[in-house]
């Protein structure tokens, strides 16, 4: 990936009909992408149906992401790719797209040469939710769906493809208030003609197992 592509939020990696690399072993492994890049891959046992890229919230890590979504994803036969932001939060929020996009693209290129999946979704919580939405709009020709849990905004650098969106937000969220965040984002995407599923729940700025399960079921059609 060139620097200009990363700065534009574009991901070049694509699934392969016939992956050439060795299949990753079931379980959690760290990808070797060079200094400063931390990305974990969680592969369920048995057939892998799809790949979920999950972005943690501000101050979080790849391990936090897997703790939140790893088990329910595995129960659905979904592998999870979880990067850690190079700064305290994602590059889009920390000053401009670039480094985190490049790391993610390298991680996807590695995984998609070894994992035979055609279905890919982006997801995230809080700042990670905003990041998933923004990259999702910019990479709808790669990701078929985007799930955002308690996001703050969507600021896509471009528009490609027509992904589906699922957004959840707590009515008692004191960190990112639902009125100016979840509701506003859902309305904006709907007005732009995207298919949007919006779910409010009684609670604060949290990501719960039932929300993850709801998003996975919506995406996979179960």
């Amino acid at each position: 990936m060139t620097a200009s592509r990363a700065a534009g939020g574009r991901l070049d990696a694509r699934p392969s009909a016939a992956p050439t690399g060795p299949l990753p072993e079931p379980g959690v492994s760290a990808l070797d992408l060079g200094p400063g890049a931390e990305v974990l891959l969680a592969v369920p046992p048995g057939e892998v149906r799809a790949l979920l890229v999950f972005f943690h919230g501000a101050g979080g890590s790849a391990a936090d992401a897997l703790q939140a979504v790893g088990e329910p994803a595995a129960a659905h036969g979904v592998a999870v790719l979880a990067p850690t932001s190079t700064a305290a939060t994602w590059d889009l929020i920390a000053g401009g797209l670039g480094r985190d996009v490049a790391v993610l693209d390298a991680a996807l290129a590695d995984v998609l040469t070894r994992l035979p999946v055609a279905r890919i979704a982006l997801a995230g919580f809080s700042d990670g939710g905003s990041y998933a939405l923004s990259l999702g709009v910019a990479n709808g020709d790669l990701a078929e769906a985007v799930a955002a849990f308690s996001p703050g905004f969507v600021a896509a650098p471009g528009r490609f493809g027509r992904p589906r969106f699922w957004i959840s937000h707590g009515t008692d969220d004191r960190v990112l208030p639902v009125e100016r965040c979840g509701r506003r984002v859902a309305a904006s995407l709907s007005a732009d003609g995207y298919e949007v599923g919006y779910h409010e729940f009684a609670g604060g700025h949290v990501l719960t197992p039932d929300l993850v399960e709801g998003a996975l079921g919506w995406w996979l059609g179960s």
Side-chain angles (χ1 to χ4, degrees):
M1 169 179 274
T2 65
S4 61
R5 293 277 285 178
R10 291 289 283 152
L11 298 166
D12 293 328
R14 292 292 183 272
S16 171
T20 57
L23 285 171
E25 294 290 330
V28 177
S29 61
L31 303 187
D32 183 8
L33 300 174
E38 180 183 49
V39 183
L40 298 179
L41 175 65
V43 178
E47 182 182 359
V48 179
R49 299 175 60 190
L51 176 66
L52 177 69
V53 178
F54 194 89
F55 304 109
H56 61 74
S61 67
D64 295 330
L66 291 186
Q67 184 174 12
V69 303
E71 287 190 13
H76 284 271
V78 174
V80 180
L81 185 66
T84 297
S85 59
T86 52
T89 190
W90 301 99
D91 52 9
L92 174 66
I93 304 161
L97 290 164
R99 170 66 174 169
D100 289 332
V101 177
V103 169
L104 173 59
D105 200 51
L108 283 167
D110 174 88
V111 171
L112 293 177
T113 60
R114 298 186 289 128
L115 200 61
V117 293
R119 305 187 67 180
I120 298 172
L122 307 181
F125 171 67
S126 192
D127 275 9
S130 300
Y131 200 54
L133 291 170
S134 301
L135 288 190
V137 172
N139 294 278
D141 49 351
L142 170 67
E144 66 180 24
V146 179
F149 304 92
S150 303
F153 63 89
V154 55
R159 299 185 182 205
F160 293 86
R162 302 295 293 178
R164 298 184 297 136
F165 293 89
W166 190 92
I167 298 169
S168 68
H169 216 110
T171 55
D172 301 320
D173 194 328
R174 303 289 182 87
V175 178
L176 296 172
V178 66
E179 294 87 353
R180 64 179 176 83
C181 294
R183 291 176 189 169
R184 184 177 177 181
V185 167
S188 174
L189 289 169
S190 294
D192 284 341
Y194 291 101
E195 178 186 337
V196 180
Y198 180 63
H199 173 69
E200 285 188 7
F201 60 94
H205 196 65
V206 295
L207 175 55
T208 60
D210 62 308
L211 292 173
V212 175
E213 187 65 34
L216 288 169
W218 160 86
W219 171 32
L220 300 169
S222 59

